[in-house]
Amino acid sequence: MEKEREEMESMNGPSKRVCVRVENGAVCTTGGRWDELNPEILASIFLRIVPPDLMVRSVVLVCRNWMETVSGPSCWTEIDLEDWCRKCCIAKRPHLIDPVVRKVVRQSRSTVQRLSTYRLGISGFSSAASRGRCLKTLQIPMCEVTDQVVEKHVRFLANLTFLDISYCLKITEKGLKAFGTQCKSLTHFRRNMPLWELPTSVEASDVNDQEALIIAETMKGLQRLDFAFNRLSDTGIEVILTQCKALTHLEIQGCWNVELKGDLEVRCKKLVDFRSPWIDEHEDNLVDSSDNEDESDDESIYSESPSSSDLD
């Protein structure tokens, strides 16, 4: 930012600095010839302080220079729409998500490096993947994407290093294998699943190590695996630890079938960060307390429903 400030001063002079801030959902500026700033500098500033939804609803209205900057690809190398998508879902308007994702991905002109959404549909995923040759981070929890869609488009996502498909129930072992086979650069994989009831006894039918076996076979370069509330057993943990030799972080909270027999517990605890299967009761109480305290804040955050013109 210091370098950017110096460039701004050299263009406009010390007495013509630009101050950009966000107030009540609007972008405000004070002082200086802000309309003459270099587009690359503007884009860098916008990426740091302006959420994507405000980028296209407010920034574009300031002046022609800002509108042209936002219309270019520089502002869309990182697209974080997860909060906005959640607001859409709370407002019962999830149909807005895919059109918006398609629009902003197009504006990136295939330069997007990070895309974070929530409840992304098939058309949104297809558009993002087809323009995703530069994508390194793809976070699409609770998406509606199917195995068939993954298999069709995954070849464009070869440069992914972080993939989050948590709670994506329509993606099964088949889609998981497609990701692992095509995305050889993955170092962080997140596949947390919905909470399932703590069993009074572990039945053989409750165990499913298939996804763990696929991960071990196709994602051997993983450094971090978030795999909470899956139905794997010690067999799955064993093969992951054996095949994924670069692994340093492992999250398996809620994986009730895991017992960590033999030397498995020792091997797991040698990792930099290991979250055991059994959630500590004290942590449960802290989480419950935190949820109660934050409930009113969450309601205020999402009380404002996205308008029909949002991101149009």
Side-chain angles (χ1 to χ4, degrees):
M1 289 300 293
E2 181 63 26
K3 181 180 178 181
E4 295 169 356
R5 185 185 66 79
E6 291 175 356
E7 291 183 20
M8 291 163 59
E9 288 186 357
S10 67
M11 294 173 56
N12 298 322
S15 62
K16 297 182 179 180
R17 292 184 183 179
V18 177
C19 179
V20 184
R21 65 186 186 278
V22 178
E23 289 184 356
N24 299 322
V27 178
C28 306
T29 63
T30 58
R33 298 295 301 276
W34 43 261
D35 57 328
E36 296 181 358
L37 281 178
N38 184 291
E40 293 183 0
I41 297 177
L42 276 176
S44 179
I45 294 172
F46 294 158
L47 284 172
R48 285 168 170 78
I49 66 172
V50 185
D53 57 324
L54 287 181
M55 194 98 72
V56 293
R57 285 192 293 135
S58 300
V59 172
V60 293
L61 302 177
V62 173
C63 65
R64 180 180 295 275
N65 190 24
W66 284 28
M67 179 182 67
E68 291 175 351
T69 299
V70 171
S71 299
S74 299
C75 285
W76 304 106
T77 55
E78 295 192 8
I79 302 172
D80 186 356
L81 289 169
E82 183 172 352
D83 287 344
W84 181 84
C85 291
R86 289 178 180 273
K87 291 179 182 179
C88 285
C89 293
I90 290 174
K92 298 182 179 180
R93 307 187 72 177
H95 61 278
L96 297 176
I97 294 174
D98 275 20
V100 166
V101 170
R102 292 199 304 267
K103 179 176 181 178
V104 296
V105 168
R106 281 198 305 270
Q107 286 187 261
S108 77
R109 299 176 191 172
S110 300
T111 64
V112 58
Q113 297 179 22
R114 176 196 175 194
L115 175 62
S116 299
T117 67
Y118 180 77
R119 286 195 177 278
L120 185 67
I122 290 176
S123 65
F125 175 83
S126 300
S127 179
S130 63
R131 295 173 173 83
R133 65 173 182 266
C134 294
L135 261 178
K136 294 183 178 180
T137 297
L138 180 61
Q139 296 172 272
I140 51 172
M142 291 288 288
C143 74
E144 297 296 322
V145 179
T146 63
D147 290 338
Q148 291 75 20
V149 175
V150 170
E151 290 178 320
K152 181 178 179 180
H153 297 283
V154 71
R155 67 184 185 277
F156 301 112
L157 301 173
N159 292 316
L160 281 184
T161 59
F162 175 27
L163 173 64
D164 181 359
I165 53 172
S166 297
Y167 322 117
C168 299
L169 302 183
K170 293 183 180 180
I171 298 178
T172 66
E173 292 94 342
K174 196 174 181 180
L176 190 63
K177 187 172 183 178
F179 275 121
T181 302
Q182 295 292 330
C183 306
K184 292 299 185 181
S185 299
L186 279 178
T187 58
H188 185 180
F189 180 52
R190 181 175 293 159
R191 175 64 165 171
N192 299 325
M193 297 301 281
L195 174 65
W196 58 294
E197 185 179 357
L198 175 63
T200 55
S201 63
V202 176
E203 303 291 342
S205 60
D206 291 330
V207 177
N208 186 349
D209 284 313
Q210 190 59 37
E211 289 198 0
L213 297 177
I214 291 172
I215 290 170
E217 177 186 355
T218 64
M219 304 181 187
K220 296 183 179 181
L222 282 184
Q223 298 174 17
R224 176 166 182 168
L225 174 62
D226 301 321
F227 211 54
F229 296 101
N230 278 272
R231 298 177 184 263
L232 79 163
S233 67
D234 280 6
T235 301
I237 297 296
E238 167 70 31
V239 71
I240 287 173
L241 291 176
T242 301
Q243 297 293 333
C244 302
K245 299 185 183 299
L247 196 69
T248 58
H249 294 68
L250 179 61
E251 157 75 275
I252 55 171
Q253 284 192 338
C255 297
W256 314 129
N257 295 315
V258 174
E259 300 180 71
L260 297 179
K261 291 182 177 179
D263 66 343
L264 278 182
E265 185 171 8
V266 174
R267 293 168 64 185
C268 286
K269 288 185 175 180
K270 287 183 179 180
L271 299 174
V272 174
D273 185 24
F274 171 62
R275 304 294 178 90
S276 65
W278 301 99
I279 302 175
D280 186 81
E281 291 183 359
H282 178 63
E283 292 181 358
D284 282 346
N285 293 333
L286 289 178
V287 170
D288 291 341
S289 175
S290 176
D291 287 345
N292 291 334
E293 291 175 358
D294 296 341
E295 184 175 355
S296 59
D297 292 338
D298 290 342
E299 290 177 355
S300 63
I301 291 174
Y302 297 126
S303 59
E304 181 181 354
S305 301
S307 67
S308 58
S309 61
D310 281 1
L311 298 174
D312 285 345

